[in-house]
Amino acid sequence: MKDVISIRDFSRADLDLLVQNALELKQGNADKSEKKRKVASLFFEPSTRTRTSSEVAAELDDHYVNGFAGTEGTSVKKGEPLADTVRMYEGYDFNAIVMRHTLEGAARLASDYVKIPVINGGDGPNGHPTQAMLDLMTIKEAKGKIDDLKVAFVGDLKYGRTVHSLLQAFEHYDVTPWLIAPNNVSLPEWRVKEYEANTGKKVVISDNLLDAIRNVDVLYMTRIQRERFPQGKEGDDEYEKVSWIYKLNAEILKSAHPNLKVMHPLPRYKNNLEVALDVDATSHALYFEQARNGMFMRQAILRKVFGDGFEGKKKEAVDEKYAEELPIGTPRSKKENLYVFNNGTLIDHLELGGGYKIKPLLRLMDYHDSPIIIGNNVPSAKYGQKDVYCLVDFFLTPEQTWKLGLISDRATINILKEGKVQRKFKVVLPSQLEGLIECQNRNCISRPEHFEHAKSRFYVESRQPLKLRCHYCEKPVGREEMKVIY
Ligand code: NCD
């Protein structure tokens, strides 16, 4: 693995090695790298630290750097799709791309189009993996360890991508996260649930900054991400509610443990400082060192990307089957059946209302050859009620078969030939779904309104209950929120 798109893709060993390598680079203990490469630095969104430290890191190893800082003056302004922009740099023989973009999943989309490694320098509010890596390095350097710590995230935990990535990285360590945020910018529920499910640990949710100051090892302050709030009055009102909240200053820090460290990905907001300037001179302030560490971490990342790459997190093998064979029971007498036909497909045990979704789902609009019989609200011994759908003289393709899994958890299919059930099976969704579900995250690059022509793609993460994850923005969806494209 040579891309750095999401912390989700990394193993603990990868993260530990990067931290170790970056600390060695900082101490000046590492050898010089051998080969000159070309690094594209493509910043579609404002940046000071991520861009500069990435470019300086590349130059420390004598690589050539080119690209843009802001889209002014580029063909992005003429409406060029992201897929084309990144392919240009690959065509000019660049060896890697470091990029930042406002849309979630942008770096993932770029890496789908180019063979050269892509390093995500922030994709909207989704993630910022290299920041999480330099944050780990900074914690390790300051505390001598990452395990066994309490870390309080303070401020905008909804839009703050650095928080999202660092929290994901903490899943590999023994960290107790504290989440301190006003209600309307609290950490999305699904992120809390995933952290707890993946670690078996509880997060501490609090709105009491003082309590955190007295108890935790690291305070991770963040800026309210004004630019990610909705446009117009609604956004202004939301911002007003939180802009003044959680301010840290030297006075408040007097109640802190002397070893408490204050981190902040920076920038801080000068009109409404979440960390007052008088904190800078205290022994707690770690944020300038943290920012400086970015240079060493990004050098370590580039070396890995141009070297042997990363081991990556082991993915659980997912079964590719689309149907599960069921035993054929004893046939009932024809009189007992609501539907009597000799050849065709009987889709049984559908959830109520399911019968009406099948025609558009399976694109049977033009099918008029033989009757379709829909049994709606039929009594079922197993489920109480069900819908039943019969396609006389018609057999489904494998794709039509597994597509039923998009609308039903429990449908069974009976293939009838010469009046007898020949096969009976339960449908199972394949592990990857392309172009079938619309991501409900408006900021996801796969949404049609962004015109990036990214074909929607979801992975099946669990089948019972059904949980899918967007390939691009990484948001999970369950059956209830899932929007099937008919
Ligand atoms: C952060 C970012 O861009 O997400 N900055 C950074 O990369 N160090 C945080 C922020 O903008 O508030």
Side-chain angles (χ1 to χ4, degrees), residues 49-50 100 128 131 161-162 223 225 265-267:
R49 277 147 288 271
T50 305
R100 168 175 288 187
H128 195 347
Q131 178 74 40
R161 57 190 169 196
T162 68
R223 178 178 66 89
Q225 310 277 299
L266 300 177

Side-chain angles (χ1 to χ4, degrees), residues 371-389:
I372 290 178
I373 308 157
I374 307 178
N376 178 234
N377 207 350
V378 177
S380 155
K382 204 162 172 193
Y383 300 110
Q385 287 126 344
K386 63 181 180 182
D387 275 10
V388 177
Y389 198 87

